[in-house]
Amino acid sequence: MTAETSTSTAPADRVDLRDVCIVHGRGSSAVVAVEGVDLTVRPREIVSIVGHSGCGKSTLLRALAGLLPHASVQGNLSILGRSPEQARKSGLLSMVFQDPVLAPWRTVEGNIRLPLQVARGRERKPSKTISEQLEVVGLGGYEKRYPKQLSGGQRQRVSLARALMMEPQVLLMDEPFGALDEITRDEMHTELLRIWGTTDASVVVVTHSIPEAVFLSDRIVVMAAHPGRIADVVEVDFPRPRGNDLKDTPEFARIAHRIRTALEENR
Amino acid sequence: MTANVSTPVHKQVKAVIPPESRAGLLLKTFRSARAWIVLALAVAIWEAAVRILDTPKYVLPAPSAMIVEFQENYSLFLNGLWATTRMSLYGLAAAIVIGVALGIAMGRSALFEELAFPFLNIIRVMPTIAIAPLLIIWFGRGGVPIVICSCLIAVFPIIVDVAHGLTSVDEDLVNMMKLANASELSILTQIRIPNSLPYLFSSFRVAAPGAVVGALLGEYIGSREGLGYLITVYSAQLNTAAVFVLALLSCLVGLVFFNVCVWLEKIVVPWKTVVR
Ligand SMILES: Nc1ncnc2c1ncn2[C@@H]1O[C@H](COP(=O)(O)OP(=O)(O)OP(=O)(O)O)[C@@H](O)[C@H]1O
Ligand SMILES: [Mg+2]
């Protein structure tokens, strides 16, 4: 009976993609970037997308963010029952890019405030102050610095703080740690999981790093190219919280191996 | 007492802080002044050469002759300097207003750029010296044609750089704004315009001395005052010393304009300098 209650009250999927196709351009110069993708992301789930370069990962993420022209996206995309554009306009989405993309003329504090300041029709007040948010990403006291005065890893933390400040239902990340060195990256992984633990967000993260995908995710989507499609979905059920030691276990290596095999079969 | 104890690798080495530069006060003063000392030497050699070789005054006047010339007519020269400075400032101001407006239009509207581009390019490649007589026919001898000449030379770098600054925004920064549901106006004021400021100021460094050149040109062709006009008068009299003085004063205006722009740039856009 308890089981039945829990299924009937289970929250709806945060993200639901059905038969999604994405075509860049038209006519003879058209490129089919993504074809026939089905994907669901549940509340507070971390899903990573891996695949060879050019297989359409960023394109898929941009479609989820409602950043692509209407004409190029086909199929059903729903984020909490809304179209990506509506979801974007309701402030349900945030995105972290490969580069921090901070405004060099604004301080750290000013950069984090920027999206809040320009968000139209947003009534929700952020539950944290900017200083508290900076504290969360490990940059307490850096409010008045300019992006130029930070290291690469610190800039990416600011970018993460800016995205989290919006308290999104779905956090989209496109190779967020791709520009960082391995030591900083490991540190950011545990940080991200710790921070994510304090939020309500579902995360979709595109990555080139297999260990990153295995470490972070509940599910890993392996994409194949030409056209971009889903080749394999791997469940990862390590308990949370996860520590960096996990990366040295045989179970971790086994899953990483499976992803690598799937990638090689689909090059 | 087993072999497992390793010696600590933390050595007691201290970094040496280099002491203050040993160069004495005299040497430091010399270093900061040496460019000026070389300049003064060059002027001295010039003076000596003119005296020894006894060159005719209308070919190459001695620096001392220029100083005498300046002392005799300084109120006339300074009036000219002020007139040219004023005309250049008006020209530059007009160029900034028009340049920023056209630059924004070109940077924000592909259609406007497509339609306006041929016109602007024709005006750009047309030598101002060819248009100047026309301007005098249309507007008469006075301030207007001079300001237009000045503006014509100064406006193009501003248009080009403003348009470039607006379009060279990191696309993901704009995407970040769109994800926050920002309006196009917010994206313009919060991202595109601040992003274009370094380009704007770097264009001033070209436009400001250009405005001075344009004003001189306008005065040269049709005016009753200003350094450009005085140059035509004194060169007709073969008063070479006065022409040299006027040329130096023109340099002075250009230099002041340029340096004010560099100084403003440092204050307004401390985060970035566009190298061009
Ligand atoms: N604006 C565009 N116009 C035309 N084709 C595009 C456009 N953007 C991407 N493509 C093409 O779509 C395909 C998918 O691109 P996408 O950027 O999504 O790849 P990706 O998986 O993110 O690659 P990477 O791992 O290198 O970032 C590529 O073949 C690319 O050339
Ligand atoms: Mg990509």
Side-chain angles (χ1 to χ4, degrees), chain A residues 24-25 29-34 51-60 62 68 98 174-175 206-208 223 226:
Chain A
H24 288 298
S29 65
V31 178
V32 179
V34 170
H52 292 284
S53 184
C55 73
K57 306 182 294 293
S58 299
T59 303
L60 192 59
R62 267 155 220 275
L68 292 180
Q98 175 164 10
D174 194 352
E175 299 183 39
V206 167
T207 174
H208 271 144
M223 281 183 71
H226 307 299

Side-chain angles (χ1 to χ4, degrees), chain A residues 62 65 67 88-89 93-95 97 101-106 114-115 117-120 148 162 166, chain B residues 170-184 186 190-192 194-195 270-272:
Chain A
R62 267 155 220 275
L67 291 171
R88 189 180 77 192
K89 288 179 180 158
L93 302 171
S94 282
M95 192 152 171
F97 303 88
V101 287
L102 303 175
W105 55 87
R106 283 177 164 250
L114 182 56
Q117 189 184 326
V118 297
R120 284 176 295 177
K148 230 186 182 171
R162 178 178 64 189
M166 301 300 284
Chain B
D170 190 325
E171 198 201 332
D172 281 338
L173 200 49
V174 175
N175 284 338
M176 187 278 297
M177 294 289 278
K178 285 186 182 161
L179 273 160
N181 196 24
S183 64
E184 274 302 317
S186 309
Q190 297 299 325
I191 303 289
R192 292 191 193 279
N195 185 72
W271 66 87
K272 193 174 172 196

Side-chain angles (χ1 to χ4, degrees), chain B residues 195-219:
Chain B
N195 185 72
S196 69
L197 283 182
Y199 296 85
L200 181 67
F201 277 90
S202 109
S203 77
F204 287 175
R205 279 193 257 159
V206 182
V212 179
V213 172
L216 282 168
L217 186 78
E219 290 167 351

